[in-house]
Amino acid sequence: MEERFNGKYDYPYVFLNEEEFGADFKQQTSASTKSHTMYGLISNEHWSLPSWLGQEDFDAARARMKQAGVLYADKASYHFMCRFYSGFFHQHPLLQEFDYYWRMEPDVHYYCDLDYDPFVFMEERGIHYGFVITVLELPKTIPSLWNTTRGFMDKYAASLPKQNLMDFVTSGDDYNLCHFWSNFEIGSFSFLRSKEYQAYFDYLDKANGFFMERWGDAPVHSLAAAMFLNKSQVHHFQDIGYRHNSFTHCPARLRNNCACDAMKSVDFHTPSFGVCHKRWSAVAGLPHDL
């Protein structure tokens, strides 16, 4: 991040954790950048079970999901993380001064130089959400998310804009599982703090799917963007090359000193990933030249 982008633009880094950061972590991260670094504690209210859900029910659900092979479902912290990113991180006191965010996670590697400011780019064009990779969600993680979302849409039909992106996430009347992979995302806080988004999260939260199932923040953000935004308000940053775990996006055309091989990009070589990129290109009216 420093070498490819922020060394030139000097934006602050905000680190959030459910436990206090140690002195060594603060020293090492602050020494790695000339930018301002801030360290925040996530409140217990935002990293725990909601008051209406019991621990025994959660433990039983995790055991059931582990037996069924649901990825990460046995890890309580993963459930807390998904709920936090879905409904609470934009409420953190350290983030209130900011209008946009660039989400960073461990084990994310950036491959290309970025010589323009994506925050200014988004603000000037009225863009509220930016992504690099779009993939299919694992069906076992979200068995009731779509029906719950449809219940929300029925209840709040009057508040849903007619110009939206539902064609990207649906095939017929069903969710097609396409979502924006949220270990990279750049977004506007005004979108996440809007009354429409908050109403959607509250509706989902009461359904208990973050704990009784393993709903992720990525499909939640994606379904919200599909409901509340239009194609001019979501942008595919094709020129940002990055890797997380085994998945890589490497630009084929919009390349700027990229240290990666475009022919190894998931967009081209894995049908279950490429289908969502092609669908986005079709919905957004863009050529499929990643």
Side-chain angles (χ1 to χ4, degrees):
M1 174 61 79
E2 280 290 289
E3 177 184 355
R4 294 300 190 174
F5 169 69
N6 206 42
K8 300 184 284 286
Y9 289 92
D10 200 28
Y11 281 106
Y13 292 95
V14 181
F15 297 92
L16 301 178
N17 198 33
E18 75 276 15
E19 299 178 355
E20 292 282 2
F21 288 105
D24 287 346
F25 179 86
K26 291 181 179 180
Q27 191 279 325
Q28 291 179 25
T29 50
S30 62
S32 299
T33 177
K34 61 184 176 63
S35 301
H36 180 49
T37 55
M38 296 180 280
Y39 304 88
L41 182 66
I42 299 170
S43 70
N44 184 64
E45 177 188 3
H46 292 168
W47 197 272
S48 61
L49 292 176
S51 59
W52 59 84
L53 185 61
Q55 184 67 47
E56 290 186 1
D57 290 335
F58 180 38
D59 291 344
R62 286 191 292 131
R64 169 180 50 79
M65 288 185 281
K66 181 179 181 180
Q67 184 69 24
V70 180
L71 189 65
Y72 305 135
D74 61 320
K75 300 179 184 299
S77 61
Y78 200 90
H79 294 263
F80 296 145
M81 179 192 69
C82 292
R83 182 175 183 246
F84 174 73
Y85 275 120
S86 294
F88 300 124
F89 94 95
H90 48 277
Q91 299 179 20
H92 195 279
L94 286 183
L95 298 177
Q96 297 313 297
E97 65 179 282
F98 302 113
D99 297 319
Y100 292 86
Y101 68 93
W102 180 326
R103 179 169 166 180
M104 298 174 57
E105 291 192 2
D107 195 35
V108 171
H109 303 271
Y110 296 94
Y111 288 129
C112 305
D113 291 347
L114 194 63
D115 292 330
Y116 66 92
D117 189 326
F119 303 115
V120 173
F121 177 89
M122 293 175 71
E123 184 177 37
E124 290 178 344
R125 292 160 177 80
I127 298 169
H128 288 283
Y129 192 86
F131 72 97
V132 172
I133 290 178
T134 173
V135 298
L136 294 173
E137 182 57 296
L138 300 172
K140 287 183 178 181
T141 66
I142 55 166
S144 70
L145 176 59
W146 177 238
N147 283 339
T148 306
T149 298
R150 291 187 65 175
F152 171 83
M153 295 172 67
D154 290 341
K155 184 175 180 179
Y156 294 95
S159 67
L160 302 179
K162 293 183 179 179
Q163 298 295 321
N164 56 50
L165 290 167
M166 293 307 294
D167 284 349
F168 171 63
V169 297
T170 57
S171 298
D173 292 330
D174 295 325
Y175 179 33
N176 61 25
L177 303 178
C178 286
H179 69 289
F180 306 123
W181 215 28
S182 60
N183 49 72
F184 170 95
E185 61 180 8
I186 302 179
S188 73
F189 280 124
S190 62
F191 167 53
L192 296 179
R193 293 169 183 155
S194 67
K195 65 180 189 300
E196 293 85 3
Y197 181 88
Q198 193 59 51
Y200 178 51
F201 169 74
D202 290 343
Y203 191 91
L204 295 182
D205 204 26
K206 291 297 191 297
N208 294 329
F210 293 109
F211 299 104
M212 304 308 290
E213 298 178 10
R214 208 231 67 194
W215 294 355
D217 54 276
V220 170
H221 285 180
S222 302
L223 289 170
M227 284 189 286
F228 303 128
L229 303 178
N230 60 56
K231 65 181 182 181
S232 71
Q233 296 172 306
V234 176
H235 181 69
H236 181 198
F237 283 98
Q238 299 182 26
D239 51 342
I240 296 179
Y242 90 107
R243 176 180 66 81
H244 179 61
N245 294 335
S246 60
F247 303 145
T248 297
H249 169 72
C250 186
R253 182 173 61 87
L254 301 173
R255 296 175 62 86
N256 185 9
N257 191 30
C258 295
C260 58
D261 182 356
M263 294 309 295
K264 295 182 180 179
S265 180
V266 297
D267 320 277
F268 294 110
H269 281 280
T270 312
S272 61
F273 298 117
V275 64
C276 292
H277 282 275
K278 292 176 182 177
R279 190 172 191 89
W280 171 257
S281 297
V283 169
L286 300 172
H288 184 59
D289 55 351
L290 304 173

